[in-house]
Amino acid sequence: MSSSNPLRDALDRRLPRIAGPSGLVIFGVTGDLSRKKLMPAVYDLANRGLLPPGFSLIGFARRQWEDEDFAQVVYEAVKQHARTPFREEVWAQLVQGCRFVQGDFDDDTAFETLKATIEELDAAQGTGGNFAFYLSVPPKFFPTVVQQLKKHGLAEQQEGAWRRAVIEKPFGHDLASAQELNRIVHDVFPAESVFRIDHYLGKETVQNILALRFANTLFEPIWNRSYVDHVQITMAEDIGIGGRAGYYDGIGAARDVIQNHLLQLLALTAMEEPVSFDADAVAAEKTKVLSAVRLPKDLGKETVRGQYTHGWQGGEEVVGYLEEEGTDPNSKTDTYAAIKLDIDNRRWAGVPFYLRTGKRLGRRVTEIAVVFQRAPYSPFDQTATEELGQNALVIRVQPDEGVTVRFGSKVPGTQMEVRDVSMDFAYGESFTESSPEAYERLILDVLLGESNLFPRLKEVELSWQILDPIEEYWDKHGRPAQYPAGTWGPVEADEMLARDGRSWRRP
Ligand code: BG6
């Protein structure tokens, strides 16, 4: 809500957003996500001066650790993974609020200890009763943890204080389980206190999609079926599943990242301009466009799932998925997925959105390529219309963050020959400001109670509604196509686009 003073409002918007008195409890604190992303993000926020002086961090896990052991683990995680330089004084302050609670998720005594620890920190660090509970645990433990929080009175919103739940993806493994999980969570926390993480929304380049589209006049007039031929959304990874077989096997690429990251990218690329950038308005537009997504009629021809086999990557020999430690040797889990979706609305009718993702692909790259129709006619003798390239606008989400526009240009010389060239915007060259890590931004938003960058339940449900029939179809029909590690996925995916007279970009 704005005040009657527009200048004051404008200045307020520019002030750094600093969290008030608060603390964070991480369940599953010994996991990879916690060490590589969450702990460093907390330190970076502190280092940037965005956390209150008494900010507290409680780790909850089964390990037999004392507070000092936990502090040492946080220290090492920070030293290894933080983005900002290490500063003794920042660390010295942060470590004062570090505590560890040992226990299983169903251990009542441990939750009573957690309660006492929070009270102790409220008194010693001035956290004011404001705590966020971050569930960085395997999805099967979500219900136990939230129910334990309720049972021990930890979820109760005290007068003038807040309690919030942060839930890592995947939120359910299909529509029914997502709704059931939601019922359990909402029995404990009110809707506005639940923050579902999709860390792609925390990425600078993803937030820039809306700036690019709606802060400029250049792109929006052509961002529709009259000019756009198709859209390709790619999230390619060169890594395999690492030590994550326990989580990944049976989940697969489509559930792991299409249901959340890629469908969110589609929503941001395709949605209408929201009336404002507050959470409700943006969610309303994303919901509308996700509701308009139509599945392919022929799931056999317009979706492809793949599984990597033994191959070479960066000069190193790597094993196939079925030989990875911990996978079922008969697993049908998809490590690659490609899906063609249509959007049934006036802006996009007839413009396919091709989504693909995979592990052990040629290289790590996430991008959104809006590919435009060819020029209708070529007046140049030396270049036939079909030889003209297709203009494209590519939002490079990572790793080489920026935007590229590809268009035809005259080749220098005495003839009128046209060839494709690129025009680039690179974050590194245009800005001196460094991008916060996605988790930094998201943790800060949780502490501030700002929910713009968190998918609403409706978005999660609609995404499962899109994916469920595809997963069902895959379950019933054979095995995933194979592709050697280090390549760009199964040939079936190339054939899928070739049938439409198109081809995947080689990023
Ligand atoms: C996670 C997936 O959500 O995103 C992982 O579970 C994947 O499988 C990761 O590796 C990729 O994230 P980023 O930020 O490196 O693209």
Side-chain angles (χ1 to χ4, degrees), residues 37 168-169 199-200 203 235 237 239 244 247-248 256-257 260-261 359 364 366 398 437 439:
K37 300 287 184 186
E168 258 300 330
K169 57 157 272 282
H199 78 279
Y200 264 58
K203 291 183 190 275
M235 176 189 168
E237 294 186 280
I239 53 168
R244 295 168 78 221
Y247 156 75
Y248 198 86
D256 184 37
V257 299
N260 35 79
H261 307 329
K359 301 237 182 241
R364 174 176 185 250
T366 301
Q398 62 188 27
E437 223 281 324
Y439 280 96

Short mmCIF file of all heavy atoms in Angstrom, two decimals, residues 37 168-169 199-200 203 235 237 239 244 247-248 256-257 260-261 359 364 366 398 437 439, ligand 1:
data_model
loop_
_atom_site.label_atom_id
_atom_site.label_comp_id
_atom_site.label_asym_id
_atom_site.label_seq_id
_atom_site.Cartn_x
_atom_site.Cartn_y
_atom_site.Cartn_z
N LYS A 37 24.37 -24.19 -0.13
CA LYS A 37 23.55 -23.02 -0.48
C LYS A 37 23.04 -22.24 0.72
O LYS A 37 23.18 -21.02 0.78
CB LYS A 37 22.33 -23.46 -1.31
CG LYS A 37 22.68 -24.16 -2.61
CD LYS A 37 23.23 -23.19 -3.64
CE LYS A 37 23.49 -23.87 -4.97
NZ LYS A 37 24.14 -23.03 -5.93
N GLU A 168 11.08 -27.00 0.69
CA GLU A 168 11.84 -27.22 -0.55
C GLU A 168 11.00 -28.00 -1.53
O GLU A 168 10.12 -28.77 -1.15
CB GLU A 168 13.12 -28.02 -0.23
CG GLU A 168 14.39 -27.20 -0.17
CD GLU A 168 14.73 -26.47 -1.47
OE1 GLU A 168 14.37 -26.95 -2.56
OE2 GLU A 168 15.35 -25.40 -1.39
N LYS A 169 11.28 -27.85 -2.80
CA LYS A 169 10.64 -28.69 -3.81
C LYS A 169 11.23 -30.10 -3.72
O LYS A 169 12.31 -30.24 -3.16
CB LYS A 169 10.85 -28.11 -5.20
CG LYS A 169 12.33 -27.91 -5.57
CD LYS A 169 12.54 -27.88 -7.03
CE LYS A 169 12.76 -29.24 -7.58
NZ LYS A 169 14.12 -29.79 -7.37
N HIS A 199 13.92 -22.40 -6.46
CA HIS A 199 15.05 -21.46 -6.40
C HIS A 199 15.29 -20.75 -7.73
O HIS A 199 15.96 -19.72 -7.76
CB HIS A 199 16.31 -22.14 -5.86
CG HIS A 199 17.04 -22.99 -6.86
ND1 HIS A 199 16.66 -24.26 -7.16
CD2 HIS A 199 18.13 -22.74 -7.64
CE1 HIS A 199 17.48 -24.77 -8.08
NE2 HIS A 199 18.39 -23.86 -8.38
N TYR A 200 14.70 -21.26 -8.83
CA TYR A 200 14.87 -20.53 -10.09
C TYR A 200 14.27 -19.13 -10.02
O TYR A 200 14.76 -18.20 -10.64
CB TYR A 200 14.28 -21.34 -11.26
CG TYR A 200 15.38 -22.13 -11.93
CD1 TYR A 200 16.12 -23.03 -11.19
CD2 TYR A 200 15.73 -21.92 -13.26
CE1 TYR A 200 17.17 -23.72 -11.75
CE2 TYR A 200 16.78 -22.60 -13.83
CZ TYR A 200 17.51 -23.50 -13.07
OH TYR A 200 18.57 -24.16 -13.63
N LYS A 203 16.64 -16.42 -8.99
CA LYS A 203 17.77 -16.05 -9.86
C LYS A 203 17.52 -14.68 -10.49
O LYS A 203 16.42 -14.41 -10.98
CB LYS A 203 17.97 -17.11 -10.96
CG LYS A 203 18.47 -18.46 -10.44
CD LYS A 203 18.71 -19.42 -11.59
CE LYS A 203 18.95 -20.83 -11.09
NZ LYS A 203 20.33 -21.13 -10.73
N MET A 235 17.00 -26.43 -20.00
CA MET A 235 17.82 -26.45 -18.78
C MET A 235 18.70 -27.69 -18.89
O MET A 235 18.23 -28.80 -18.65
CB MET A 235 16.94 -26.53 -17.54
CG MET A 235 17.75 -26.66 -16.27
SD MET A 235 16.70 -27.02 -14.86
CE MET A 235 17.95 -27.45 -13.66
N GLU A 237 22.17 -29.81 -17.95
CA GLU A 237 23.21 -29.94 -16.92
C GLU A 237 24.26 -30.91 -17.42
O GLU A 237 23.94 -31.88 -18.10
CB GLU A 237 22.61 -30.47 -15.63
CG GLU A 237 21.64 -29.50 -14.98
CD GLU A 237 21.19 -30.00 -13.63
OE1 GLU A 237 20.30 -30.87 -13.58
OE2 GLU A 237 21.75 -29.54 -12.62
N ILE A 239 26.32 -32.32 -15.13
CA ILE A 239 26.50 -33.26 -14.02
C ILE A 239 25.53 -34.45 -14.14
O ILE A 239 24.49 -34.35 -14.78
CB ILE A 239 26.28 -32.60 -12.64
CG1 ILE A 239 24.93 -31.87 -12.61
CG2 ILE A 239 27.41 -31.67 -12.31
CD1 ILE A 239 24.50 -31.42 -11.24
N ARG A 244 22.88 -38.50 -5.36
CA ARG A 244 21.47 -38.25 -5.02
C ARG A 244 20.50 -39.34 -5.48
O ARG A 244 19.30 -39.08 -5.61
CB ARG A 244 21.03 -36.91 -5.62
CG ARG A 244 21.75 -35.73 -5.04
CD ARG A 244 21.47 -34.49 -5.87
NE ARG A 244 20.17 -33.90 -5.62
CZ ARG A 244 19.38 -33.42 -6.59
NH1 ARG A 244 19.72 -33.52 -7.84
NH2 ARG A 244 18.22 -32.87 -6.28
N TYR A 247 17.16 -39.79 -3.76
CA TYR A 247 16.10 -38.85 -4.08
C TYR A 247 15.64 -38.99 -5.53
O TYR A 247 14.45 -39.05 -5.82
CB TYR A 247 16.60 -37.41 -3.83
CG TYR A 247 15.86 -36.36 -4.64
CD1 TYR A 247 14.56 -35.99 -4.28
CD2 TYR A 247 16.43 -35.77 -5.76
CE1 TYR A 247 13.86 -35.05 -5.03
CE2 TYR A 247 15.74 -34.83 -6.50
CZ TYR A 247 14.46 -34.47 -6.14
OH TYR A 247 13.77 -33.54 -6.89
N TYR A 248 16.61 -39.12 -6.44
CA TYR A 248 16.32 -38.94 -7.86
C TYR A 248 15.65 -40.15 -8.50
O TYR A 248 14.77 -40.01 -9.35
CB TYR A 248 17.63 -38.62 -8.59
CG TYR A 248 17.44 -37.99 -9.94
CD1 TYR A 248 17.29 -36.60 -10.06
CD2 TYR A 248 17.41 -38.76 -11.10
CE1 TYR A 248 17.12 -36.02 -11.30
CE2 TYR A 248 17.25 -38.18 -12.33
CZ TYR A 248 17.10 -36.80 -12.43
OH TYR A 248 16.93 -36.22 -13.66
N ASP A 256 11.59 -33.53 -11.26
CA ASP A 256 12.62 -32.78 -10.55
C ASP A 256 12.69 -31.32 -11.00
O ASP A 256 12.82 -30.43 -10.17
CB ASP A 256 13.98 -33.47 -10.77
CG ASP A 256 15.12 -32.82 -9.99
OD1 ASP A 256 14.88 -32.39 -8.84
OD2 ASP A 256 16.25 -32.76 -10.52
N VAL A 257 12.59 -31.08 -12.29
CA VAL A 257 12.77 -29.68 -12.72
C VAL A 257 11.73 -29.13 -13.70
O VAL A 257 11.50 -27.92 -13.73
CB VAL A 257 14.19 -29.43 -13.30
CG1 VAL A 257 15.25 -29.69 -12.27
CG2 VAL A 257 14.45 -30.21 -14.55
N ASN A 260 8.53 -27.71 -11.86
CA ASN A 260 8.73 -26.47 -11.12
C ASN A 260 9.50 -25.45 -11.95
O ASN A 260 8.91 -24.52 -12.51
CB ASN A 260 9.40 -26.76 -9.78
CG ASN A 260 10.40 -27.91 -9.92
OD1 ASN A 260 11.50 -27.72 -10.40
ND2 ASN A 260 10.00 -29.13 -9.53
N HIS A 261 10.84 -25.63 -12.07
CA HIS A 261 11.65 -24.58 -12.69
C HIS A 261 11.19 -24.24 -14.12
O HIS A 261 11.00 -23.08 -14.47
CB HIS A 261 13.12 -25.01 -12.76
CG HIS A 261 13.71 -25.44 -11.45
ND1 HIS A 261 13.29 -24.93 -10.24
CD2 HIS A 261 14.68 -26.34 -11.15
CE1 HIS A 261 13.99 -25.49 -9.27
NE2 HIS A 261 14.84 -26.36 -9.79
N LYS A 359 20.27 -34.39 -17.55
CA LYS A 359 21.56 -34.50 -16.85
C LYS A 359 22.55 -35.13 -17.83
O LYS A 359 22.16 -35.84 -18.75
CB LYS A 359 21.43 -35.39 -15.63
CG LYS A 359 20.40 -34.87 -14.63
CD LYS A 359 21.00 -34.66 -13.28
CE LYS A 359 19.99 -34.18 -12.27
NZ LYS A 359 20.31 -32.85 -11.71
N ARG A 364 26.52 -27.25 -19.25
CA ARG A 364 25.52 -26.68 -18.36
C ARG A 364 25.03 -25.35 -18.95
O ARG A 364 25.83 -24.43 -19.15
CB ARG A 364 26.16 -26.41 -16.99
CG ARG A 364 25.25 -25.69 -16.04
CD ARG A 364 25.91 -25.55 -14.67
NE ARG A 364 24.99 -24.94 -13.73
CZ ARG A 364 25.13 -23.71 -13.25
NH1 ARG A 364 26.16 -22.96 -13.59
NH2 ARG A 364 24.25 -23.22 -12.40
N THR A 366 21.20 -22.90 -19.08
CA THR A 366 19.76 -22.70 -19.02
C THR A 366 19.43 -21.45 -19.84
O THR A 366 20.05 -20.40 -19.64
CB THR A 366 19.27 -22.50 -17.57
OG1 THR A 366 19.63 -23.65 -16.82
CG2 THR A 366 17.77 -22.32 -17.51
N GLN A 398 21.70 -18.90 -17.28
CA GLN A 398 23.01 -19.26 -16.72
C GLN A 398 23.74 -20.19 -17.67
O GLN A 398 23.09 -20.80 -18.51
CB GLN A 398 22.83 -19.94 -15.35
CG GLN A 398 22.06 -21.24 -15.42
CD GLN A 398 21.72 -21.81 -14.07
OE1 GLN A 398 21.58 -21.11 -13.09
NE2 GLN A 398 21.57 -23.12 -14.00
N GLU A 437 23.08 -14.68 -4.74
CA GLU A 437 22.72 -16.06 -5.06
C GLU A 437 21.21 -16.21 -4.86
O GLU A 437 20.62 -15.53 -4.02
CB GLU A 437 23.47 -16.97 -4.08
CG GLU A 437 24.09 -18.20 -4.69
CD GLU A 437 23.08 -19.29 -4.94
OE1 GLU A 437 22.16 -19.44 -4.12
OE2 GLU A 437 23.21 -19.99 -5.96
N TYR A 439 19.37 -18.33 -3.38
CA TYR A 439 18.92 -18.64 -2.02
C TYR A 439 19.07 -17.45 -1.07
O TYR A 439 18.33 -17.34 -0.11
CB TYR A 439 19.66 -19.88 -1.48
CG TYR A 439 19.06 -21.15 -2.01
CD1 TYR A 439 19.59 -21.80 -3.11
CD2 TYR A 439 17.92 -21.69 -1.40
CE1 TYR A 439 19.01 -22.96 -3.61
CE2 TYR A 439 17.34 -22.86 -1.89
CZ TYR A 439 17.89 -23.49 -2.99
OH TYR A 439 17.30 -24.63 -3.47
C1 BG6 B 1 17.44 -28.61 -8.42
C2 BG6 B 1 17.34 -30.03 -8.90
O1 BG6 B 1 16.16 -28.09 -8.16
O2 BG6 B 1 18.08 -27.81 -9.40
C3 BG6 B 1 18.70 -30.57 -9.28
O3 BG6 B 1 16.78 -30.85 -7.90
C4 BG6 B 1 19.42 -29.64 -10.22
O4 BG6 B 1 18.60 -31.87 -9.85
C5 BG6 B 1 19.40 -28.22 -9.67
O5 BG6 B 1 20.76 -30.09 -10.37
C6 BG6 B 1 20.00 -27.24 -10.66
O6 BG6 B 1 20.04 -25.96 -10.10
P1 BG6 B 1 20.94 -24.82 -10.75
O7 BG6 B 1 20.62 -23.61 -9.96
O8 BG6 B 1 22.37 -25.28 -10.64
O9 BG6 B 1 20.52 -24.73 -12.19
#
